[in-house]
Amino acid sequence: MRSTFEEQLNNLHLRFSEMGMMASEAIMKSVKAYVNHDKALAREVIENDRFINKREVDLEKKSFEMIALQQPVTSDLRMVVTFLKASSDLERMGDHAVSIAQETIRVKGKTRIPEIEKDIADMGDLSTSIVEDSLEAYLKEDGEMAKRVAAQDGDIHREGKQINDASIRAMQKSVDNVLSGSSYMLVESYLERVSDYATNICEWVVYLNTGHVVELSQKHVVDNDDE
């Protein structure tokens, strides 16, 4: 029974890792499509989201089967619960990648502001890096690494604020910038949410190690800096 459980657990690890790579790739491609005004790539991101959604359903089904049939306890149960929670976070990341791709299609041909789009590209790179590092911490079950990765969430929120401020200034300067500026603010918010979900995964890593749910988000730190 134990060898069967461990085999199933290893399979979940593998499938979760694959889902993580799918979500990370979706985020990277969606930002690339947005800043390059690439409608074809944006449609690819939207189309491929179904694979991320299907993977979450599969992981959820397998996790519930393991709980029902194997009745794991303590650390084993925490592992399965973490799969359930973290796969849900990855699915939501994929949804935000789709939202960015949809913005690519919606604003194509409108007035664009290159300097803000460069900031969005930089923010996208940082978001993707945080997602990949959170997954590495998860697969290594490294609580200390998870805390270090989550600390970068504050950098994302600071970059987001800079993009928001620049977008508002651009819209105030010219009415022609209103559509683009509002789009930049939307994309920035989607990338912030991606980082938040990566932070959630880091929190699940700590839970896996300790059995305690902790708050690792740095958003409140950034908010306090603004006061």
Side-chain angles (χ1 to χ4, degrees):
M1 288 291 289
R2 180 66 195 179
S3 61
T4 300
F5 179 82
E6 289 180 350
E7 182 179 337
Q8 292 174 341
L9 205 57
N10 288 334
N11 184 54
L12 277 182
H13 264 296
L14 175 62
R15 296 180 70 77
F16 177 85
S17 179
E18 291 171 347
M19 184 181 180
M21 289 187 287
M22 291 161 64
S24 177
E25 183 179 37
I27 297 158
M28 179 186 66
K29 285 185 174 181
S30 68
V31 175
K32 181 179 180 181
Y34 187 81
V35 298
N36 291 335
H37 318 162
D38 188 337
K39 275 182 159 183
L41 185 58
R43 291 194 181 98
E44 179 185 323
V45 171
I46 295 168
E47 172 66 19
N48 288 343
D49 185 56
R50 61 194 174 95
F51 298 116
I52 297 177
N53 295 340
K54 184 178 184 302
R55 180 56 57 91
E56 189 215 1
V57 171
D58 290 344
L59 284 171
E60 183 179 80
K61 179 182 177 183
K62 293 294 184 184
S63 297
F64 281 129
E65 285 178 356
M66 289 181 70
I67 291 173
L69 299 177
Q70 303 290 345
Q71 298 181 343
V73 294
T74 58
S75 62
D76 288 338
L77 180 59
R78 287 206 302 269
M79 176 66 75
V80 179
V81 168
T82 304
F83 275 124
L84 280 169
K85 297 293 187 179
S87 61
S88 177
D89 290 325
L90 288 178
E91 190 276 333
R92 288 179 174 87
M93 289 182 195
D95 289 344
H96 288 301
V98 167
S99 295
I100 294 171
Q102 289 171 336
E103 276 300 294
T104 301
I105 296 169
R106 187 180 76 85
V107 302
K108 178 74 172 175
K110 305 299 181 183
T111 302
R112 308 300 285 262
I113 307 170
E115 57 269 27
I116 298 180
E117 292 189 351
K118 181 183 182 305
D119 290 340
I120 288 174
D122 292 342
M123 188 177 182
D125 288 342
L126 182 56
S127 295
T128 303
S129 176
I130 290 174
V131 170
E132 291 173 348
D133 289 346
S134 70
L135 291 168
E136 182 179 350
Y138 184 90
L139 294 171
K140 289 180 176 179
E141 300 179 28
D142 189 336
E144 291 306 311
M145 180 181 180
K147 291 176 183 177
R148 292 194 300 272
V149 174
Q152 298 178 63
D153 183 47
D155 295 333
I156 282 286
H157 288 287
R158 276 184 283 271
E159 287 201 16
K161 185 178 185 305
Q162 290 174 4
I163 290 170
N164 272 345
D165 291 345
S167 298
I168 291 170
R169 287 194 300 270
M171 289 188 287
Q172 290 172 335
K173 184 177 180 180
S174 172
V175 68
D176 292 337
N177 295 329
V178 170
L179 284 176
S180 294
S182 60
S183 178
Y184 298 146
M185 295 173 75
L186 269 178
V187 171
E188 174 278 320
S189 71
Y190 297 142
L191 289 174
E192 280 199 17
R193 292 302 294 142
V194 166
S195 176
D196 290 340
Y197 286 123
T199 300
N200 286 353
I201 291 176
C202 291
E203 291 173 355
W204 289 117
V205 176
V206 175
Y207 166 77
L208 190 60
N209 282 195
T210 66
H212 300 293
V213 177
V214 296
E215 173 70 40
L216 296 179
S217 174
Q218 298 293 305
K219 185 178 187 302
H220 65 284
V221 175
V222 177
D223 291 341
N224 290 340
D225 288 346
D226 296 335
E227 293 177 358

